[in-house]
């Protein structure tokens, strides 16, 4: 296939390369603690506990952020439903006013607009309610891993 003059040549995409899994971290060989002092051992244990607690706090933060995002979505939907309810009242009031003033024409048009806002409000409310039902405020993975900490400190693996 030839290119028209004056146009840049089309780039040919490279062949797709399947993603490879990251290699597992190198296993640390068991350390012989026979020559270590009690102070060194306690220092190592405190460093490991500190690292473990820092990681648990980071995990809890990540889980709470995820759940807060879900809650914000649901709150936004309730806000939309509230605004739609306001619009329903506004248009129903206008419809009643125009209906009384203008027996048929203007009033019926306002009632149709108000009915549309009522439908929109109902849909937003239902969607917001379902979003709130999916929110789980308890950081499940953090609780699960924290339950394993006492066993890990005893040297047991689960």
């Amino acid at each position: 296939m030839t290119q028209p003059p004056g146009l840049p040549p089309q780039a040919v995409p490279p062949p797709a390369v399947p993603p490879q899994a990251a290699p597992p971290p190198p296993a640390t060989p068991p350390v012989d603690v026979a020559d270590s002092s009690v102070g060194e051992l306690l220092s190592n244990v405190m460093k490991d506990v500190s690292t473990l607690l820092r990681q648990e706090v980071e995990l809890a933060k990540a889980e709470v952020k995820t759940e807060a995002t879900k809650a914000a979505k649901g709150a936004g939907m309730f806000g939309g439903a509230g605004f739609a309810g306001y619009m329903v009242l506004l248009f129903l009031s206008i419809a009643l006013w125009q209906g009384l003033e203008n027996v048929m024409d203007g009033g019926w048009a306002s009632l149709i607009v108000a009915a549309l806002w009522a439908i929109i409000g109902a849909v937003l409310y239902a969607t917001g309610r379902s979003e709130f039902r999916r929110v789980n405020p308890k950081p499940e993975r953090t609780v699960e891993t924290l339950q394993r900490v006492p066993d890990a400190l005893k040297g047991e693996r689960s």
Side-chain angles (χ1 to χ4, degrees):
M1 178 160 71
T2 60
Q3 278 295 110
L7 291 178
Q10 290 182 344
V12 177
V17 178
Q20 297 177 355
T28 55
V31 178
D32 184 20
V33 294
D35 296 333
S36 301
S37 69
V38 173
E40 289 174 342
L41 293 175
L42 285 177
S43 173
N44 289 342
V45 167
M46 293 305 292
K47 183 177 72 173
D48 291 345
V49 167
S50 174
T51 300
L52 176 64
L53 290 177
R54 202 170 21 251
Q55 290 172 342
E56 290 299 326
V57 167
E58 289 300 318
L59 177 61
K61 282 182 187 179
E63 286 186 278
V64 168
K65 183 179 178 182
T66 301
E67 294 304 316
T69 301
K70 288 181 190 175
K73 271 183 161 178
M77 295 293 176
F78 277 130
F83 177 72
Y86 166 76
M87 296 302 292
V88 167
L89 289 177
L90 176 68
F91 282 114
L92 283 176
S93 297
I94 292 171
L96 179 61
W97 170 58
Q98 286 185 351
L100 290 175
E101 181 181 315
N102 216 9
V103 180
M104 290 286 273
D105 301 332
W108 286 112
S110 294
L111 282 173
I112 290 172
V113 171
L116 288 174
W117 274 109
I119 292 168
I120 290 169
V123 168
L124 287 173
Y125 176 79
T127 307
R129 186 179 60 186
S130 69
E131 283 291 324
F132 268 106
R133 286 184 177 165
R134 293 188 339 181
V135 171
N136 181 10
K138 180 179 170 186
E140 298 288 340
R141 294 186 320 193
T142 302
V143 170
E144 179 186 321
T145 57
L146 281 175
Q147 289 173 346
R148 290 190 257 160
V149 169
D151 292 337
L153 291 175
K154 293 176 189 174
E156 300 173 9
R157 293 186 181 215
S158 56

